[in-house]
Amino acid sequence: MNPLSNEEQLHAYVDDALAPAERAQVEMRLRADPDAAHRVEAYRRLNLLLRAALDPLLEEPVPERLQHLPTLRARRTSWLRPAAFAASLLLAGAAGWFLRGAADSRPAFGDALAVQAAAAYRVYTPEVLHPVEVGAQQEEHLVSWLSKRLGAPLRAPYLGDAGYRLVGGRLLPAEERAAAQFMYEDVRGRRLTLYVAGSPEQARETSFRYAEQNGVSTFYWIEGGLGYALSGELAREELLKVAEAVYRDIAMRPQKPRSQ
Amino acid sequence: MEEFERRVTECIPRLRRYARVLTGNSTAADDLVQDTLERAWSRLRLWRPGSDLRAWLFTIMHNVHVNGVRRRRAEQTGEPLDIAIGGTQEQRLELRDVTRALAQLPPEYREVLLLVAVEEMPYAQAAAVLDVPLGTVMSRLSRARAQLLSLTNGDTTPGLRRVK
């Protein structure tokens, strides 16, 4: 970091963010500079006022809906014990939880996403000669091309730890928009696809949902304005592990540029 | 796991306060808290035990809020913060002035004040929560305080009046 300006030093002094030596330096300056000393006083006073104004909020009773977190428990079960996943989905569904706000467009978009992803999986994974449009050896080009076409920064998650390597990807139609498909395979040649499409503005973010069609399992979710669907001919628990790896990879390395 | 749940629950009042400062409105604030808690649970595996839970939850809240605002493409500022004020008449006036002034600041200034001045987070932690460089935290903080002071200039406190 750049050295602090005089003014920044005063703030850092007030917020107790200075090393002892710098602290002593500022204190010396304050004795010689009444204007700076007044500012320091004013900043301190603001801190006190803000705390006095906002601390009472901590005493407010927590509303019912945040207190009991029943929803959180249902979700937690699903995450921590994959074996209980089906059961918890049922439970959560019964509680209206995964479908909270069933009137909004989320289920419709999510369901369509799962169907399209599974269809694209079935069409392209059996391909021997042309499974992808752009291969993994041109990963950077692939990702920037698809990002451009979807109008959103994408990434091809690294799934090496789950035993899958990137084969490549292609551009696909999704409703009126573009979608991307990344294909992966393991050492035995078993393939998975990650299908990504822009979500409608009003679609809410969701946690994992699961669908199975004709032997193709799909986990799908909506996050950060994009719908993701991971499809494969795998048991649910096995696919869930990979889905979590995808999720983690995307969540841990946000694409957005650091804002100033 | 129960330990995690207990600690998250302990953070709820602080999350509600942060949310209130961000949104200005108690219903929107509790919606934001709920979304944040949901997200936190779905990301449980990303939380490193031993790391600061408050900072982690605040980071999630900041992101949920920023994404929501970006999606709505509308930002409300200047609406009075929905905060009840107690104390003596004189204190109430003073606190009312400062909350009013706070409500007029841009959200990124309100946020940095909440984190640093009220929550007393170290600068580096506030920078991590907001996903901005340390220098940005400092420049926002100094601008936020300058604006807050100029907005509360009509205040009767001598300490504030002396300052331009």
Short mmCIF file of all heavy atoms in Angstrom, two decimals, chain A residues 1 11-12 15 38 45 47 51 55 60-61 65 72-73 76 79 97 100 201 203-205 223 244 247-248 256 258, chain B residues 5 16-17 20 30-31 34-35 38-39 41 43 45-46 71 83 94 117 123 131-132 134 136 140-142 145 157 162:
data_model
loop_
_atom_site.label_atom_id
_atom_site.label_comp_id
_atom_site.label_asym_id
_atom_site.label_seq_id
_atom_site.Cartn_x
_atom_site.Cartn_y
_atom_site.Cartn_z
N MET A 1 0.83 -1.20 0.00
CA MET A 1 0.00 0.00 0.00
C MET A 1 0.86 1.24 0.00
O MET A 1 1.95 1.26 0.55
CB MET A 1 -0.90 -0.01 1.23
CG MET A 1 -2.11 0.85 1.05
SD MET A 1 -3.23 0.71 2.46
CE MET A 1 -2.36 1.66 3.68
N HIS A 11 -7.36 9.52 10.21
CA HIS A 11 -8.44 8.53 10.30
C HIS A 11 -7.93 7.24 10.92
O HIS A 11 -8.58 6.66 11.78
CB HIS A 11 -9.04 8.26 8.92
CG HIS A 11 -9.84 9.41 8.39
ND1 HIS A 11 -11.15 9.62 8.75
CD2 HIS A 11 -9.50 10.42 7.56
CE1 HIS A 11 -11.59 10.71 8.14
NE2 HIS A 11 -10.61 11.22 7.41
N ALA A 12 -6.77 6.82 10.44
CA ALA A 12 -6.20 5.57 10.97
C ALA A 12 -5.91 5.72 12.46
O ALA A 12 -6.06 4.77 13.23
CB ALA A 12 -4.94 5.20 10.20
N ASP A 15 -9.19 5.36 14.25
CA ASP A 15 -9.69 3.98 14.19
C ASP A 15 -8.69 2.99 14.78
O ASP A 15 -8.89 1.78 14.64
CB ASP A 15 -10.00 3.60 12.73
CG ASP A 15 -11.10 4.47 12.16
OD1 ASP A 15 -12.09 4.71 12.88
OD2 ASP A 15 -10.98 4.92 11.01
N HIS A 38 -8.55 19.19 15.99
CA HIS A 38 -10.01 19.37 15.96
C HIS A 38 -10.66 18.32 15.07
O HIS A 38 -11.72 17.79 15.40
CB HIS A 38 -10.37 20.75 15.42
CG HIS A 38 -10.14 21.86 16.40
ND1 HIS A 38 -10.43 21.72 17.74
CD2 HIS A 38 -9.64 23.11 16.24
CE1 HIS A 38 -10.12 22.84 18.37
NE2 HIS A 38 -9.62 23.70 17.48
N ARG A 45 -15.89 11.91 17.64
CA ARG A 45 -17.25 12.20 18.06
C ARG A 45 -18.25 11.53 17.10
O ARG A 45 -19.27 11.01 17.54
CB ARG A 45 -17.44 13.71 18.09
CG ARG A 45 -18.79 14.11 18.54
CD ARG A 45 -18.86 15.48 19.18
NE ARG A 45 -20.22 15.68 19.67
CZ ARG A 45 -20.66 15.16 20.80
NH1 ARG A 45 -19.87 14.46 21.57
NH2 ARG A 45 -21.92 15.33 21.16
N ASN A 47 -17.76 8.77 15.46
CA ASN A 47 -17.79 7.34 15.82
C ASN A 47 -18.74 7.11 16.99
O ASN A 47 -19.57 6.20 16.97
CB ASN A 47 -16.39 6.85 16.20
CG ASN A 47 -15.54 6.54 14.99
OD1 ASN A 47 -15.95 6.76 13.86
ND2 ASN A 47 -14.34 6.04 15.23
N ARG A 51 -22.27 5.05 16.82
CA ARG A 51 -22.52 3.88 17.66
C ARG A 51 -23.74 4.10 18.54
O ARG A 51 -24.58 3.22 18.69
CB ARG A 51 -21.30 3.58 18.53
CG ARG A 51 -20.28 2.74 17.81
CD ARG A 51 -19.02 2.58 18.63
NE ARG A 51 -17.87 2.85 17.80
CZ ARG A 51 -16.71 3.31 18.23
NH1 ARG A 51 -16.53 3.56 19.52
NH2 ARG A 51 -15.73 3.50 17.39
N ASP A 55 -26.34 1.36 17.87
CA ASP A 55 -26.28 0.24 18.82
C ASP A 55 -27.66 -0.24 19.28
O ASP A 55 -27.85 -1.45 19.46
CB ASP A 55 -25.41 0.58 20.04
CG ASP A 55 -23.93 0.35 19.74
OD1 ASP A 55 -23.64 -0.29 18.70
OD2 ASP A 55 -23.07 0.79 20.52
N GLU A 60 -33.04 -4.78 19.26
CA GLU A 60 -34.38 -5.05 18.73
C GLU A 60 -34.64 -6.55 18.68
O GLU A 60 -33.75 -7.33 18.35
CB GLU A 60 -34.50 -4.49 17.29
CG GLU A 60 -34.73 -3.02 17.26
CD GLU A 60 -35.02 -2.55 15.84
OE1 GLU A 60 -35.24 -3.39 14.95
OE2 GLU A 60 -35.02 -1.32 15.66
N PRO A 61 -35.87 -6.95 18.99
CA PRO A 61 -36.17 -8.38 18.91
C PRO A 61 -36.02 -8.88 17.47
O PRO A 61 -36.40 -8.19 16.52
CB PRO A 61 -37.62 -8.48 19.38
CG PRO A 61 -38.16 -7.10 19.30
CD PRO A 61 -37.01 -6.15 19.43
N ARG A 65 -39.29 -14.90 11.59
CA ARG A 65 -38.83 -15.60 10.39
C ARG A 65 -37.31 -15.78 10.36
O ARG A 65 -36.79 -16.63 9.66
CB ARG A 65 -39.30 -14.87 9.13
CG ARG A 65 -38.71 -13.49 8.96
CD ARG A 65 -39.00 -13.00 7.55
NE ARG A 65 -38.86 -11.56 7.45
CZ ARG A 65 -38.44 -10.96 6.36
NH1 ARG A 65 -38.15 -11.66 5.30
NH2 ARG A 65 -38.36 -9.65 6.32
N LEU A 72 -33.29 -23.20 7.10
CA LEU A 72 -31.87 -23.45 7.11
C LEU A 72 -31.59 -24.88 7.52
O LEU A 72 -30.67 -25.51 7.04
CB LEU A 72 -31.19 -22.49 8.06
CG LEU A 72 -31.52 -21.03 7.75
CD1 LEU A 72 -30.84 -20.12 8.72
CD2 LEU A 72 -31.11 -20.70 6.34
N ARG A 73 -32.38 -25.37 8.43
CA ARG A 73 -32.15 -26.75 8.87
C ARG A 73 -32.41 -27.72 7.73
O ARG A 73 -31.66 -28.65 7.53
CB ARG A 73 -33.02 -27.08 10.06
CG ARG A 73 -32.44 -26.41 11.25
CD ARG A 73 -32.98 -26.92 12.54
NE ARG A 73 -32.39 -26.06 13.54
CZ ARG A 73 -33.06 -25.15 14.22
NH1 ARG A 73 -34.35 -25.03 14.05
NH2 ARG A 73 -32.44 -24.37 15.06
N ARG A 76 -29.57 -27.51 5.42
CA ARG A 76 -28.33 -28.02 5.97
C ARG A 76 -28.25 -29.54 5.82
O ARG A 76 -27.25 -30.08 5.43
CB ARG A 76 -28.23 -27.64 7.44
CG ARG A 76 -26.92 -28.01 8.06
CD ARG A 76 -26.93 -27.74 9.54
NE ARG A 76 -27.85 -28.63 10.20
CZ ARG A 76 -28.13 -28.55 11.49
NH1 ARG A 76 -27.64 -27.60 12.22
NH2 ARG A 76 -28.96 -29.40 12.03
N TRP A 79 -27.16 -30.57 2.53
CA TRP A 79 -25.77 -30.36 2.16
C TRP A 79 -24.82 -31.28 2.88
O TRP A 79 -23.82 -31.69 2.36
CB TRP A 79 -25.37 -28.91 2.45
CG TRP A 79 -25.71 -28.08 1.29
CD1 TRP A 79 -26.92 -27.54 1.02
CD2 TRP A 79 -24.86 -27.75 0.20
NE1 TRP A 79 -26.86 -26.88 -0.16
CE2 TRP A 79 -25.62 -26.99 -0.68
CE3 TRP A 79 -23.52 -28.03 -0.10
CZ2 TRP A 79 -25.09 -26.51 -1.86
CZ3 TRP A 79 -23.00 -27.53 -1.26
CH2 TRP A 79 -23.79 -26.78 -2.14
N TRP A 97 -40.16 -24.86 0.43
CA TRP A 97 -38.94 -24.14 0.70
C TRP A 97 -38.11 -23.97 -0.54
O TRP A 97 -37.76 -22.88 -0.95
CB TRP A 97 -38.24 -24.93 1.76
CG TRP A 97 -37.02 -24.33 2.30
CD1 TRP A 97 -36.03 -25.00 2.92
CD2 TRP A 97 -36.65 -22.97 2.32
NE1 TRP A 97 -35.09 -24.14 3.32
CE2 TRP A 97 -35.42 -22.90 2.96
CE3 TRP A 97 -37.21 -21.79 1.85
CZ2 TRP A 97 -34.77 -21.72 3.16
CZ3 TRP A 97 -36.54 -20.60 2.04
CH2 TRP A 97 -35.34 -20.58 2.69
N ARG A 100 -39.97 -21.75 -2.71
CA ARG A 100 -40.47 -20.54 -2.08
C ARG A 100 -40.77 -19.50 -3.15
O ARG A 100 -39.97 -19.25 -4.04
CB ARG A 100 -39.42 -20.01 -1.12
CG ARG A 100 -39.88 -18.86 -0.29
CD ARG A 100 -38.83 -18.62 0.77
NE ARG A 100 -37.53 -18.47 0.14
CZ ARG A 100 -36.97 -17.31 -0.10
NH1 ARG A 100 -37.57 -16.20 0.24
NH2 ARG A 100 -35.79 -17.25 -0.66
N GLU A 201 -34.03 -11.76 -15.47
CA GLU A 201 -33.82 -10.81 -14.38
C GLU A 201 -34.52 -11.23 -13.10
O GLU A 201 -33.99 -11.09 -12.01
CB GLU A 201 -34.37 -9.43 -14.79
CG GLU A 201 -33.62 -8.79 -15.92
CD GLU A 201 -32.51 -7.89 -15.41
OE1 GLU A 201 -32.83 -6.99 -14.64
OE2 GLU A 201 -31.35 -8.11 -15.79
N ALA A 203 -35.47 -14.13 -12.03
CA ALA A 203 -35.23 -15.44 -11.43
C ALA A 203 -34.38 -15.29 -10.17
O ALA A 203 -33.35 -14.65 -10.20
CB ALA A 203 -34.52 -16.35 -12.43
N ARG A 204 -34.84 -15.86 -9.10
CA ARG A 204 -34.09 -15.75 -7.85
C ARG A 204 -33.00 -16.79 -7.79
O ARG A 204 -33.10 -17.84 -8.41
CB ARG A 204 -35.03 -15.95 -6.66
CG ARG A 204 -36.01 -14.81 -6.50
CD ARG A 204 -36.60 -14.87 -5.14
NE ARG A 204 -35.55 -14.96 -4.13
CZ ARG A 204 -35.72 -14.57 -2.89
NH1 ARG A 204 -36.85 -14.06 -2.50
NH2 ARG A 204 -34.74 -14.70 -2.02
N GLU A 205 -31.98 -16.49 -7.00
CA GLU A 205 -30.92 -17.48 -6.84
C GLU A 205 -31.46 -18.66 -6.05
O GLU A 205 -32.31 -18.51 -5.19
CB GLU A 205 -29.75 -16.83 -6.13
CG GLU A 205 -29.27 -15.61 -6.90
CD GLU A 205 -27.89 -15.16 -6.53
OE1 GLU A 205 -27.45 -15.49 -5.42
OE2 GLU A 205 -27.26 -14.51 -7.37
N GLU A 223 -27.29 -18.66 -9.89
CA GLU A 223 -26.42 -17.84 -9.04
C GLU A 223 -25.79 -16.74 -9.87
O GLU A 223 -25.30 -16.99 -10.96
CB GLU A 223 -25.35 -18.74 -8.42
CG GLU A 223 -24.18 -18.00 -7.87
CD GLU A 223 -24.00 -18.21 -6.38
OE1 GLU A 223 -24.85 -18.91 -5.78
OE2 GLU A 223 -23.05 -17.66 -5.83
N GLU A 244 -20.80 -29.94 -6.34
CA GLU A 244 -20.25 -29.12 -5.26
C GLU A 244 -18.89 -28.57 -5.64
O GLU A 244 -18.56 -27.43 -5.32
CB GLU A 244 -20.17 -29.92 -3.96
CG GLU A 244 -21.53 -30.14 -3.34
CD GLU A 244 -21.50 -31.04 -2.12
OE1 GLU A 244 -20.44 -31.64 -1.85
OE2 GLU A 244 -22.53 -31.15 -1.44
N TYR A 247 -19.56 -25.74 -7.99
CA TYR A 247 -20.09 -24.61 -7.24
C TYR A 247 -18.97 -23.89 -6.49
O TYR A 247 -18.85 -22.67 -6.51
CB TYR A 247 -21.14 -25.11 -6.26
CG TYR A 247 -21.83 -24.00 -5.51
CD1 TYR A 247 -22.95 -23.38 -6.05
CD2 TYR A 247 -21.34 -23.54 -4.30
CE1 TYR A 247 -23.58 -22.35 -5.39
CE2 TYR A 247 -21.95 -22.51 -3.63
CZ TYR A 247 -23.08 -21.92 -4.18
OH TYR A 247 -23.69 -20.89 -3.52
N ARG A 248 -18.15 -24.70 -5.85
CA ARG A 248 -17.07 -24.13 -5.04
C ARG A 248 -16.08 -23.37 -5.93
O ARG A 248 -15.65 -22.28 -5.62
CB ARG A 248 -16.35 -25.26 -4.30
CG ARG A 248 -15.84 -24.87 -2.96
CD ARG A 248 -15.34 -26.09 -2.21
NE ARG A 248 -16.37 -27.10 -2.08
CZ ARG A 248 -16.13 -28.42 -2.13
NH1 ARG A 248 -14.92 -28.88 -2.35
NH2 ARG A 248 -17.12 -29.27 -2.00
N LYS A 256 -16.18 -11.22 -11.04
CA LYS A 256 -16.35 -9.76 -11.18
C LYS A 256 -15.03 -9.06 -10.88
O LYS A 256 -14.29 -9.46 -9.99
CB LYS A 256 -17.45 -9.27 -10.26
CG LYS A 256 -17.14 -9.25 -8.80
CD LYS A 256 -18.38 -8.83 -8.05
CE LYS A 256 -18.18 -8.91 -6.55
NZ LYS A 256 -17.37 -7.85 -6.01
N ARG A 258 -12.54 -6.35 -9.38
CA ARG A 258 -12.58 -5.63 -8.11
C ARG A 258 -12.95 -4.19 -8.39
O ARG A 258 -12.34 -3.54 -9.21
CB ARG A 258 -11.21 -5.69 -7.45
CG ARG A 258 -10.88 -7.05 -6.92
CD ARG A 258 -9.41 -7.13 -6.63
NE ARG A 258 -9.12 -6.37 -5.39
CZ ARG A 258 -9.18 -6.91 -4.19
NH1 ARG A 258 -9.54 -8.15 -4.05
NH2 ARG A 258 -8.90 -6.20 -3.13
N GLU B 5 -24.25 -23.12 14.15
CA GLU B 5 -25.59 -22.55 14.13
C GLU B 5 -25.76 -21.51 15.25
O GLU B 5 -26.32 -20.44 15.05
CB GLU B 5 -26.60 -23.69 14.32
CG GLU B 5 -28.01 -23.23 14.20
CD GLU B 5 -28.94 -24.42 14.03
OE1 GLU B 5 -28.51 -25.46 13.49
OE2 GLU B 5 -30.09 -24.32 14.46
N ARG B 16 -28.60 -7.70 10.95
CA ARG B 16 -29.80 -6.87 10.75
C ARG B 16 -29.42 -5.39 10.76
O ARG B 16 -29.96 -4.59 10.00
CB ARG B 16 -30.83 -7.15 11.84
CG ARG B 16 -31.41 -8.56 11.75
CD ARG B 16 -32.49 -8.77 12.77
NE ARG B 16 -33.71 -8.06 12.43
CZ ARG B 16 -34.48 -7.44 13.31
NH1 ARG B 16 -34.14 -7.38 14.58
NH2 ARG B 16 -35.58 -6.85 12.92
N ARG B 17 -28.47 -5.04 11.62
CA ARG B 17 -28.06 -3.64 11.68
C ARG B 17 -27.35 -3.24 10.38
O ARG B 17 -27.62 -2.18 9.81
CB ARG B 17 -27.14 -3.42 12.87
CG ARG B 17 -26.55 -2.02 12.88
CD ARG B 17 -25.95 -1.66 14.20
NE ARG B 17 -24.69 -2.34 14.43
CZ ARG B 17 -23.94 -2.14 15.51
NH1 ARG B 17 -24.36 -1.32 16.45
NH2 ARG B 17 -22.81 -2.77 15.66
N ARG B 20 -29.86 -2.85 7.75
CA ARG B 20 -30.67 -1.65 7.91
C ARG B 20 -29.91 -0.43 7.37
O ARG B 20 -30.48 0.43 6.70
CB ARG B 20 -31.00 -1.44 9.39
CG ARG B 20 -32.14 -0.49 9.63
CD ARG B 20 -33.49 -1.14 9.45
NE ARG B 20 -33.72 -2.16 10.45
CZ ARG B 20 -34.25 -1.93 11.65
NH1 ARG B 20 -34.65 -0.73 11.98
NH2 ARG B 20 -34.42 -2.92 12.49
N ASP B 30 -34.62 -7.09 6.59
CA ASP B 30 -34.80 -8.46 7.03
C ASP B 30 -34.86 -9.43 5.86
O ASP B 30 -34.44 -10.58 5.97
CB ASP B 30 -36.03 -8.59 7.94
CG ASP B 30 -35.72 -8.06 9.35
OD1 ASP B 30 -34.53 -7.99 9.70
OD2 ASP B 30 -36.66 -7.72 10.08
N ASP B 31 -35.36 -8.97 4.72
CA ASP B 31 -35.29 -9.80 3.51
C ASP B 31 -33.83 -10.09 3.18
O ASP B 31 -33.46 -11.22 2.85
CB ASP B 31 -35.93 -9.09 2.30
CG ASP B 31 -37.45 -9.11 2.37
OD1 ASP B 31 -37.99 -9.87 3.20
OD2 ASP B 31 -38.08 -8.36 1.60
N GLN B 34 -32.37 -12.56 5.54
CA GLN B 34 -32.84 -13.91 5.25
C GLN B 34 -32.09 -14.50 4.04
O GLN B 34 -31.62 -15.63 4.09
CB GLN B 34 -34.35 -13.90 4.99
CG GLN B 34 -34.91 -15.30 4.86
CD GLN B 34 -36.43 -15.31 4.91
OE1 GLN B 34 -37.07 -14.31 5.22
NE2 GLN B 34 -37.02 -16.44 4.60
N ASP B 35 -31.97 -13.69 2.99
CA ASP B 35 -31.23 -14.16 1.82
C ASP B 35 -29.79 -14.50 2.18
O ASP B 35 -29.21 -15.46 1.70
CB ASP B 35 -31.24 -13.10 0.71
CG ASP B 35 -32.61 -12.98 0.05
OD1 ASP B 35 -33.45 -13.86 0.29
OD2 ASP B 35 -32.84 -11.99 -0.67
N GLU B 38 -29.63 -17.76 4.09
CA GLU B 38 -29.82 -18.89 3.18
C GLU B 38 -28.53 -19.18 2.42
O GLU B 38 -28.09 -20.31 2.28
CB GLU B 38 -30.92 -18.59 2.16
CG GLU B 38 -32.31 -18.65 2.76
CD GLU B 38 -33.35 -18.17 1.76
OE1 GLU B 38 -33.06 -18.12 0.55
OE2 GLU B 38 -34.46 -17.84 2.21
N ARG B 39 -27.95 -18.09 1.94
CA ARG B 39 -26.73 -18.24 1.16
C ARG B 39 -25.61 -18.81 2.03
O ARG B 39 -24.83 -19.66 1.61
CB ARG B 39 -26.32 -16.88 0.60
CG ARG B 39 -25.08 -16.90 -0.24
CD ARG B 39 -25.34 -17.45 -1.60
NE ARG B 39 -26.12 -16.51 -2.36
CZ ARG B 39 -25.58 -15.58 -3.15
NH1 ARG B 39 -24.30 -15.53 -3.31
NH2 ARG B 39 -26.33 -14.74 -3.77
N TRP B 41 -25.83 -20.79 4.52
CA TRP B 41 -25.99 -22.23 4.73
C TRP B 41 -25.64 -23.02 3.49
O TRP B 41 -25.05 -24.08 3.56
CB TRP B 41 -27.40 -22.56 5.19
CG TRP B 41 -27.58 -22.21 6.62
CD1 TRP B 41 -28.18 -21.09 7.11
CD2 TRP B 41 -27.12 -22.96 7.75
NE1 TRP B 41 -28.12 -21.10 8.48
CE2 TRP B 41 -27.48 -22.22 8.89
CE3 TRP B 41 -26.44 -24.16 7.90
CZ2 TRP B 41 -27.19 -22.67 10.18
CZ3 TRP B 41 -26.15 -24.60 9.17
CH2 TRP B 41 -26.52 -23.86 10.29
N ARG B 43 -23.51 -22.28 1.49
CA ARG B 43 -22.06 -22.22 1.27
C ARG B 43 -21.27 -22.69 2.46
O ARG B 43 -20.08 -22.39 2.57
CB ARG B 43 -21.65 -20.77 1.01
CG ARG B 43 -22.22 -20.28 -0.26
CD ARG B 43 -21.66 -18.94 -0.60
NE ARG B 43 -21.95 -18.71 -1.99
CZ ARG B 43 -21.38 -17.79 -2.72
NH1 ARG B 43 -20.48 -17.03 -2.19
NH2 ARG B 43 -21.70 -17.66 -3.98
N ARG B 45 -19.82 -25.14 3.29
CA ARG B 45 -18.55 -25.83 3.06
C ARG B 45 -17.43 -24.91 2.66
O ARG B 45 -16.28 -25.30 2.60
CB ARG B 45 -18.74 -26.89 1.98
CG ARG B 45 -19.58 -28.01 2.49
CD ARG B 45 -19.78 -29.07 1.47
NE ARG B 45 -20.50 -30.18 2.11
CZ ARG B 45 -20.50 -31.40 1.67
NH1 ARG B 45 -19.82 -31.69 0.60
NH2 ARG B 45 -21.18 -32.34 2.30
N LEU B 46 -17.80 -23.68 2.31
CA LEU B 46 -16.76 -22.73 1.93
C LEU B 46 -16.23 -21.98 3.14
O LEU B 46 -15.26 -21.25 3.06
CB LEU B 46 -17.31 -21.71 0.93
CG LEU B 46 -17.78 -22.28 -0.40
CD1 LEU B 46 -18.36 -21.19 -1.25
CD2 LEU B 46 -16.65 -22.98 -1.11
N ARG B 71 -29.22 -5.86 -9.99
CA ARG B 71 -30.31 -6.42 -10.76
C ARG B 71 -31.49 -5.46 -10.84
O ARG B 71 -32.13 -5.33 -11.85
CB ARG B 71 -30.75 -7.74 -10.11
CG ARG B 71 -31.56 -8.58 -11.03
CD ARG B 71 -31.72 -9.96 -10.52
NE ARG B 71 -30.42 -10.62 -10.38
CZ ARG B 71 -30.31 -11.89 -10.04
NH1 ARG B 71 -31.36 -12.60 -9.78
NH2 ARG B 71 -29.13 -12.43 -9.95
N ILE B 83 -34.90 3.91 11.92
CA ILE B 83 -34.25 3.61 13.20
C ILE B 83 -34.93 4.41 14.31
O ILE B 83 -35.08 5.63 14.21
CB ILE B 83 -32.75 4.00 13.14
CG1 ILE B 83 -32.02 3.07 12.18
CG2 ILE B 83 -32.11 3.95 14.53
CD1 ILE B 83 -30.61 3.48 11.90
N GLU B 94 -29.51 15.11 18.47
CA GLU B 94 -28.17 14.90 17.93
C GLU B 94 -28.10 13.60 17.14
O GLU B 94 -27.55 13.55 16.03
CB GLU B 94 -27.20 14.85 19.12
CG GLU B 94 -25.83 15.29 18.77
CD GLU B 94 -24.94 15.30 20.00
OE1 GLU B 94 -25.43 14.94 21.10
OE2 GLU B 94 -23.77 15.65 19.86
N ALA B 117 -16.41 2.28 11.74
CA ALA B 117 -16.69 3.13 12.90
C ALA B 117 -17.59 2.42 13.91
O ALA B 117 -17.41 2.57 15.11
CB ALA B 117 -17.34 4.44 12.45
N TYR B 123 -9.17 -2.21 9.08
CA TYR B 123 -9.31 -1.78 7.68
C TYR B 123 -9.21 -2.96 6.71
O TYR B 123 -9.96 -3.06 5.75
CB TYR B 123 -8.24 -0.75 7.31
CG TYR B 123 -8.43 0.62 7.96
CD1 TYR B 123 -7.42 1.56 7.90
CD2 TYR B 123 -9.62 0.95 8.60
CE1 TYR B 123 -7.57 2.82 8.47
CE2 TYR B 123 -9.78 2.20 9.18
CZ TYR B 123 -8.75 3.12 9.12
OH TYR B 123 -8.90 4.36 9.68
N ASP B 131 -14.61 -6.29 -0.80
CA ASP B 131 -13.87 -6.69 -1.99
C ASP B 131 -13.30 -5.48 -2.73
O ASP B 131 -13.50 -5.32 -3.94
CB ASP B 131 -14.76 -7.54 -2.91
CG ASP B 131 -13.94 -8.21 -4.02
OD1 ASP B 131 -12.72 -8.38 -3.82
OD2 ASP B 131 -14.50 -8.54 -5.07
N VAL B 132 -12.67 -4.61 -1.99
CA VAL B 132 -11.98 -3.46 -2.59
C VAL B 132 -10.59 -3.38 -1.96
O VAL B 132 -10.37 -3.93 -0.88
CB VAL B 132 -12.74 -2.13 -2.34
CG1 VAL B 132 -14.09 -2.13 -3.01
CG2 VAL B 132 -12.87 -1.85 -0.85
N LEU B 134 -7.40 -1.93 0.10
CA LEU B 134 -7.31 -1.20 1.37
C LEU B 134 -7.38 0.31 1.18
O LEU B 134 -8.05 1.02 1.92
CB LEU B 134 -5.98 -1.59 2.03
CG LEU B 134 -5.81 -1.30 3.50
CD1 LEU B 134 -6.88 -1.99 4.30
CD2 LEU B 134 -4.44 -1.78 3.95
N THR B 136 -8.92 1.95 -1.00
CA THR B 136 -10.28 2.38 -1.29
C THR B 136 -11.09 2.51 -0.01
O THR B 136 -11.89 3.43 0.15
CB THR B 136 -10.96 1.37 -2.25
OG1 THR B 136 -10.14 1.24 -3.40
CG2 THR B 136 -12.34 1.83 -2.66
N ARG B 140 -12.67 6.04 0.97
CA ARG B 140 -14.12 6.15 1.20
C ARG B 140 -14.40 6.64 2.61
O ARG B 140 -15.30 7.45 2.84
CB ARG B 140 -14.79 4.78 1.02
CG ARG B 140 -15.00 4.43 -0.42
CD ARG B 140 -15.78 3.13 -0.54
NE ARG B 140 -15.77 2.68 -1.91
CZ ARG B 140 -16.18 1.47 -2.30
NH1 ARG B 140 -16.62 0.61 -1.39
NH2 ARG B 140 -16.15 1.13 -3.56
N LEU B 141 -13.63 6.12 3.53
CA LEU B 141 -13.84 6.47 4.93
C LEU B 141 -13.61 7.97 5.13
O LEU B 141 -14.39 8.65 5.79
CB LEU B 141 -12.87 5.66 5.79
CG LEU B 141 -13.08 5.72 7.29
CD1 LEU B 141 -14.44 5.14 7.65
CD2 LEU B 141 -11.98 4.94 7.98
N SER B 142 -12.55 8.46 4.51
CA SER B 142 -12.26 9.86 4.77
C SER B 142 -13.29 10.76 4.08
O SER B 142 -13.73 11.75 4.64
CB SER B 142 -10.79 10.18 4.43
OG SER B 142 -10.69 10.87 3.23
N ARG B 145 -16.59 10.54 6.19
CA ARG B 145 -16.59 11.36 7.40
C ARG B 145 -16.69 12.85 7.06
O ARG B 145 -17.38 13.60 7.74
CB ARG B 145 -15.33 11.09 8.22
CG ARG B 145 -15.45 9.81 9.00
CD ARG B 145 -14.29 9.63 9.95
NE ARG B 145 -14.47 8.47 10.79
CZ ARG B 145 -13.55 7.53 11.01
NH1 ARG B 145 -12.37 7.63 10.43
NH2 ARG B 145 -13.80 6.51 11.79
N THR B 157 -23.44 20.88 18.62
CA THR B 157 -22.26 20.46 19.40
C THR B 157 -21.05 21.29 19.03
O THR B 157 -20.71 21.40 17.86
CB THR B 157 -21.91 18.99 19.12
OG1 THR B 157 -22.60 18.59 17.96
CG2 THR B 157 -22.23 18.11 20.28
N ARG B 162 -16.82 23.57 15.20
CA ARG B 162 -15.51 24.14 14.94
C ARG B 162 -14.92 23.66 13.62
O ARG B 162 -13.97 24.21 13.14
CB ARG B 162 -14.55 23.75 16.07
CG ARG B 162 -14.67 24.64 17.28
CD ARG B 162 -13.40 24.55 18.10
NE ARG B 162 -13.15 23.19 18.52
CZ ARG B 162 -13.49 22.72 19.71
NH1 ARG B 162 -14.07 23.49 20.58
NH2 ARG B 162 -13.23 21.48 20.04
#
